[in-house]
Amino acid sequence: MQEHKQLIAAEYSAGSDAHQLRQNAKPKRTLSVAPMLDWTDRHYRYMARLISKNTWLYTEMINANAIIHGNSDRLLAYHPQEQPVALQLGGSEPAILAQAAKIAAGYDYDEINLNCGCPSPRVQQGAFGACLMREVELVARCLNAMQEAVNIPVTIKHRIGLDKETAYQPLADFVGTLREKTPCRIFVVHARNAWLDGLSPKDNRDIPPLRYDYVYRLKQEFPDLEIILNGGVTDNAQIHRHLQHVDGVMVGREAYHNPMLMRSWDAEFYTSHQPAVEYEDLVNQLLDYACRQLANPDISLRHMARHYLGLMHGLPGARQWRRMLSDASLLKNNDASLIAEAWQAVKDGAASQSELI
């Protein structure tokens, strides 16, 4: 955290022009990785940034009250290399959200995103998440209060509807009202309904049908808005198809379970001429990162390694990689060299099948 604050302070001490230059140099939101509870923590995001330099990364949803009353360093600190990185907030009280956003701005996030899509019962009890789609005027007050508190973009992530509502117009009315009453111009739209009764959060990610056409229609009806589609995206061919209709695509579980899907994104979607990261280089960088992190007694190898399990997806030796990096008896030693040993097992598997990696 201290390193992070020193880098921010150095940027500001160089003058506002330097800070504004970094803001202007941010890549477009063509691709992003969805905020996922217990998954997109800072260790995952650091790994993702090593794979793609341009993809936008999002934190897990963090309750605004937790930021105000809890340990903000523990909740908000991240490595500056993760940028561009957006903070997703949960809450429904404009003043509380504004205060949390202002605290977060001190950590130099590139965006603050309001969660209006989570259907979990715990979130509903707090009167935020997807149930906010029933209270568009309150959402408008929340977005306005947050934007007044910070000078970075305040955005929203929401569903296409609630429960078994099938009409398009309520969605258009929700977006249109926010367009009229707030400065928010970036809408991340999960192309499924949120069923608030009868489905678990896990089932809410699979059972409500995907309606990509509704998200496409939003872009047609509100061409001045930046519409980012989320939900059910699993490969680059799908991304290309969606980008014919919307401004950006947010990928969730596939980017977590198969993170090397992101390996081609900079070249394929951002016209980068930099070569894709090599597996060997990636592993060495993760090994260096793990060694540095383990100097903190509050961090264990398990905290990092759990995010690496899908890195070798599809390669010979991938099963051995996963087995070693999820073995509690091996992880308990907190020895980062386990990563190198697991990588050697992958290389041995590839050599036995005469494959290049």
Side-chain angles (χ1 to χ4, degrees):
M1 178 57 208
Q2 189 59 36
E3 176 192 12
H4 179 79
K5 285 188 171 178
Q6 288 172 349
L7 286 169
I8 294 172
E11 182 177 84
Y12 277 95
S13 67
S16 59
D17 289 345
H19 176 67
Q20 190 60 47
L21 182 63
R22 188 186 71 76
Q23 293 291 316
N24 294 339
K26 291 194 295 286
K28 293 182 177 180
R29 291 172 176 79
T30 306
L31 285 172
S32 54
V33 175
M36 291 177 281
L37 193 61
D38 296 326
W39 288 4
T40 52
D41 66 12
R42 62 192 182 92
H43 301 305
Y44 169 81
R45 297 193 308 266
Y46 185 88
M47 176 193 70
R49 181 59 68 225
L50 294 176
I51 301 171
S52 171
K53 303 300 182 187
N54 295 290
T55 299
W56 279 69
L57 304 175
Y58 281 71
T59 69
E60 309 165 83
M61 181 187 71
I62 302 177
N63 188 302
N65 273 302
I67 292 173
I68 295 169
H69 302 294
N71 184 331
S72 61
D73 278 0
R74 182 180 61 81
L75 293 169
L76 297 176
Y78 63 93
H79 195 288
Q81 187 170 326
E82 295 172 35
Q83 293 172 321
V85 59
L87 169 69
Q88 187 181 70
L89 287 178
S92 59
E93 299 177 64
I96 297 297
L97 285 164
Q99 187 177 351
K102 189 171 184 178
I103 294 171
Y107 290 79
D108 211 28
Y109 280 94
D110 297 289
E111 172 190 320
I112 307 291
N113 178 267
L114 178 64
N115 184 312
C116 291
C118 181
S120 79
R122 180 167 58 88
V123 167
Q124 289 183 56
Q125 289 170 7
F128 61 95
C131 62
L132 282 175
M133 291 191 69
R134 291 188 175 129
E135 301 185 63
V136 67
E137 297 294 337
L138 174 58
V139 173
R141 293 198 299 273
C142 290
L143 291 172
N144 285 330
M146 294 162 69
Q147 193 63 81
E148 289 171 6
V150 300
N151 62 359
I152 57 176
V154 172
T155 70
I156 184 171
K157 186 174 189 290
H158 59 89
R159 297 283 185 129
I160 59 170
L162 296 179
D163 299 317
K164 298 185 180 181
E165 170 66 60
T166 59
Y168 166 76
Q169 196 55 45
L171 170 64
D173 291 343
F174 179 81
V175 172
T177 299
L178 295 179
R179 176 185 175 276
E180 177 186 352
K181 297 189 174 184
T182 79
C184 180
R185 291 297 179 267
I186 300 170
F187 291 72
V188 183
V189 188
H190 188 154
R192 299 182 195 271
N193 278 28
W195 291 6
L196 301 182
D197 294 310
L199 286 184
S200 69
K202 179 180 182 299
D203 288 339
N204 257 292
R205 294 192 295 265
D206 296 303
I207 292 178
L210 286 160
R211 294 298 306 267
Y212 295 133
D213 57 314
Y214 279 16
V215 188
Y216 299 166
R217 285 179 67 182
L218 283 177
K219 182 59 186 178
Q220 292 172 351
E221 187 169 342
F222 305 102
D224 60 313
L225 298 182
E226 191 169 340
I227 303 294
I228 298 170
L229 179 147
N230 171 233
V233 180
T234 59
D235 60 47
N236 291 348
Q238 293 173 6
I239 293 172
H240 278 290
R241 288 196 295 272
H242 292 314
L243 287 175
Q244 295 176 26
H245 304 279
V246 294
D247 300 291
V249 174
M250 176 178 278
V251 182
R253 284 169 288 169
E254 191 66 22
Y256 186 86
H257 293 302
N258 179 20
M260 289 301 258
L261 173 70
M262 296 182 280
R263 190 183 184 206
S264 67
W265 285 3
D266 289 346
E268 196 165 346
F269 299 101
Y270 289 94
T271 64
S272 170
H273 299 295
Q274 295 297 316
V277 65
E278 297 292 341
Y279 281 89
E280 183 101 39
D281 291 340
L282 176 61
V283 170
N284 286 335
Q285 290 180 80
L286 291 175
L287 180 59
D288 289 343
Y289 174 77
C291 289
R292 294 195 303 271
Q293 292 295 307
L294 289 173
N296 183 339
D298 295 328
I299 297 176
S300 71
L301 183 61
R302 176 181 58 83
H303 292 148
M304 295 169 279
R306 68 190 184 95
H307 301 303
Y308 305 162
L309 300 183
L311 273 176
M312 305 302 161
H313 179 78
L315 295 183
R319 180 179 297 180
Q320 183 72 349
W321 168 271
R322 291 192 302 270
R323 186 196 67 78
M324 294 178 69
L325 293 185
S326 60
D327 188 320
S329 64
L330 297 176
L331 290 167
K332 69 179 182 180
N333 296 321
N334 267 352
D335 186 348
S337 65
L338 178 63
I339 297 171
E341 294 170 12
W343 170 237
Q344 186 60 50
V346 175
K347 292 196 291 185
D348 291 345
S352 69
Q353 297 187 32
S354 301
E355 292 195 19
L356 295 176
I357 54 175

